[in-house]
Amino acid sequence: MKSKAHAVTRDLEADAVEASASRRAGSSAQDEWLGKDLGGPAMDENRSNFAGTIPTRFTPKTGLAGLAENWRADILSGFLVFLIALPLCLGISMASGFPPQAGIITAVVGGLLVSRINGSFVTITGPAAGLIVVILDSVQALGDGDAKAGYHYTLAAIVCASVIQMLMGVMKAGKMSAFFPSSAVHGMLAAIGIIIMAKQIHVMLGVKPDAQTLFETIGAIPASLRDMNPEVAMIGGLGLLILIAWSLVKSRRLKMIPAPLVVVIIGMALAQYYDLDDEHIYLFLPDTPFLPHHEFTIGPKFLVSIPQNFLSGFAFPDFSLIGSSVFWQQVFAICLVGSLESLLSSAAVDKLDPYKRTSDLNRDLAAVGFGNIICGLIGGLPMIAEIVRSSANVNNGARTGWANFFHGLFLLIFVAVFPRVIHEIPLAALAALLVFTGYRLASPLEFKKTLAIGWDQLAVFVITIVGVLATDLLIGVAIGIAAEFLFHFWRSVNWGQVFKLHRDIAESEPGVYEVKIGGAAFFANYLALRGDLAKLPKGKTIIFDLSESWCVDHTVMENLHHFCEDYEANGGRAEICGLDQHVATSKHPLAPRKRSV
């Protein structure tokens, strides 16, 4: 009995944190995890596009010819994405322990340089919340209490990590994302969300906690709520309420207004009302007896601090720690997390492209690595292909990579000409954006969605989260991978099947290729099959026969689903058969399954 690869879709409303508009969009299971918009999950066999149905005979040109053909659409989309990116670049940069302008530098390099040499079409490159934790950890670990020194040491670590990243792209390591089990990757992202929320809630309340560790920071949240600076908390709390309300709004016209822009404008208005430009003491409800105290201080320290001269915001790396083990630990953490997130995001954005184009992930990884080298040399954060800003880019009608170019150009012009405007943005408003982003990454729906795949996947997800929170990103992900291995051995997978997948690919009849998979198919041995599949001709019929497989894990099911989806989008036909004798761990179409005895 043949079973078509099920399409798993959901509403990808443009994120209130990073998107400027909303339409229903088709999405695979991987897209759901990366988008993090968390509209209600849906099961639908029909996929739809952000920009509607596009005739396949029309594909936008690239290069200068693409600019001449599509400049109107790309300039408009680039401007709208710029409005979203500006506050997020500032917030992500400061949350990472970098100066505010570092995030702008990264987005400018990503737009003006990387967009011209990468292998994608509608992807937006820039700083992302997923890298906050690894960069902040690097600043703290390398600086050893000296934030300025840690910043310069981390720039050196970014340069070294980016050289490795670029070489990985040149050596065609773009397929490495398939090796990592999905639940472990999703657990890493959820842990990042928890860490972001734990740190940014205090900024949103205008309080600096007396905490040295992550768990102390989490434990200090009740004290910060008790001791919050009322006017600062009003700015942050109102911003958070706006983001929540925007995510619930159904009006497409209202959704065209970027929520981050609304939060920043209202935050700036309140900052003027509270006179944050001048340091002063104020009394809050002095006649209320149950409040612990009534006197609070407010001033410019609660606003973004940015150089008035754009060129003075550049900084240079310090390589003096290059011989230490802690330095290289940070290098590999930055390289692994950045590369993995960028590859997953680029693949997910391709599924949103109404023209059904496929990115060259190896070229994309090399281009991002080259851009990150430049960023590290001049004081910027590392960049990745960013999923939700990219989805907003598609939704705004972008056609080519020139939209990414114009988004970077608008950022450069704004920060060079209007630095005083940026200085008037309150930190609490930016913290509200990041708290909302963190919640999206680690919301209860993420746990529910993982449980729907299977209890073992939920276990790997939770183990990875706990591992990251208790140790660091690299060790936490390694713990999650180890947990996935243990579950496979619990299912009686032989050691001999761990790294070698039994497969046979043959043309059973003209234009029909049969892919027979035997033994145990799971994340650690899928890369070889992926390489073989990449060599198959386009526009044919591919039949996956899993009848001889002993077990198939969630990561392989997800990757086969993605392959079928992409292959059919490019004019071919693909289907999966041979699963009728397998027992799944849940009713989810991509759940792990084992052949019944």
Side-chain angles (χ1 to χ4, degrees), residues 144-227:
D144 196 21
D146 186 340
K148 185 176 181 180
Y151 167 48
H152 291 280
Y153 292 140
T154 298
L155 290 178
I158 290 172
V159 172
C160 294
S162 304
V163 170
I164 298 173
Q165 192 176 46
M166 186 174 68
L167 292 175
M168 287 168 58
V170 172
M171 294 186 294
K172 302 190 181 305
K175 60 185 179 181
M176 63 169 273
S177 61
F179 175 79
F180 295 90
S182 298
S183 295
V185 174
H186 305 153
M188 178 192 74
L189 295 175
I192 288 171
I194 292 171
I195 296 171
I196 291 171
M197 285 191 289
K199 293 180 178 294
Q200 292 301 308
I201 283 174
H202 303 284
V203 179
M204 196 177 75
L205 297 173
V207 178
K208 187 175 182 179
D210 184 16
Q212 302 299 321
T213 67
L214 173 62
F215 291 107
E216 288 178 354
T217 303
I218 295 174
I221 291 176
S224 292
L225 288 168
R226 179 196 64 204
D227 301 331

Side-chain angles (χ1 to χ4, degrees), residues 295-578:
E295 187 176 278
F296 298 90
T297 301
I298 203 164
K301 69 179 181 179
F302 293 104
L303 297 173
V304 173
S305 176
I306 193 168
Q308 295 302 300
N309 182 356
F310 178 70
L311 295 178
S312 64
F314 292 120
F316 306 101
D318 184 342
F319 290 92
S320 58
L321 294 182
I322 197 169
S324 66
S325 60
V326 66
F327 178 86
W328 286 101
Q329 180 182 346
Q330 301 307 321
V331 167
F332 288 118
I334 294 169
C335 180
L336 174 63
V337 176
S339 300
L340 188 57
E341 282 203 63
S342 195
L343 288 171
L344 292 174
S345 296
S346 292
V349 172
D350 282 349
K351 301 179 189 307
L352 307 179
D353 186 356
Y355 301 99
K356 303 301 180 185
R357 294 166 292 188
T358 302
S359 298
D360 183 340
L361 296 183
N362 295 311
R363 180 176 174 180
D364 226 33
L365 186 61
V368 168
F370 179 71
N372 283 337
I373 293 174
I374 304 300
C375 290
L377 290 174
I378 61 177
L381 284 164
M383 74 183 73
I384 68 168
E386 208 291 316
I387 175 69
V388 189
R389 256 168 278 172
S390 299
S391 69
N393 189 41
V394 175
N395 197 41
N396 292 331
R399 293 183 175 181
T400 72
W402 287 104
N404 189 12
F405 176 89
F406 287 120
H407 130 269
L409 181 62
F410 284 125
L411 279 169
L412 175 62
I413 294 172
F414 190 88
V415 75
V417 178
F418 305 109
R420 182 63 190 174
V421 175
I422 295 176
H423 174 65
E424 297 300 323
I425 300 175
L427 298 178
L430 300 179
L433 298 178
L434 294 175
V435 168
F436 191 72
T437 299
Y439 175 77
R440 294 293 191 174
L441 289 167
S443 81
L445 278 177
E446 299 302 322
F447 292 81
K448 181 180 178 181
K449 184 169 58 182
T450 312
L451 179 60
I453 299 172
W455 67 267
D456 57 330
Q457 297 304 300
L458 178 64
V460 173
F461 179 72
V462 172
I463 288 170
T464 305
I465 292 175
V466 174
V468 170
L469 296 180
T471 56
D472 58 35
L473 282 170
L474 285 181
I475 296 176
V477 172
I479 291 172
I481 293 174
E484 183 82 6
F485 270 113
L486 290 176
F487 279 113
H488 284 296
F489 294 138
W490 177 74
R491 294 192 184 101
S492 303
V493 174
N494 296 325
W495 274 102
Q497 299 176 334
V498 170
F499 295 109
K500 185 176 181 180
L501 179 65
H502 298 284
R503 63 199 186 278
D504 181 51
I505 302 177
E507 189 174 11
S508 57
E509 57 183 273
V512 178
Y513 292 82
E514 190 171 5
V515 182
K516 294 184 178 181
I517 299 174
F522 67 115
F523 72 94
N525 58 30
Y526 176 74
L527 283 180
L529 175 61
R530 178 168 177 167
D532 291 342
L533 295 179
K535 299 174 184 177
L536 292 174
K538 303 295 183 183
K540 306 297 182 180
T541 296
I542 310 295
I543 299 175
F544 291 96
D545 182 0
L546 299 176
S547 58
E548 297 300 318
S549 62
W550 176 249
C551 64
V552 187
D553 79 346
H554 166 60
T555 303
V556 173
M557 288 298 301
E558 188 176 60
N559 279 296
L560 292 180
H561 158 69
H562 291 162
F563 177 86
C564 291
E565 190 177 53
D566 293 341
Y567 196 81
E568 291 187 347
N570 285 285
R573 178 173 171 266
E575 60 184 33
I576 299 172
C577 67

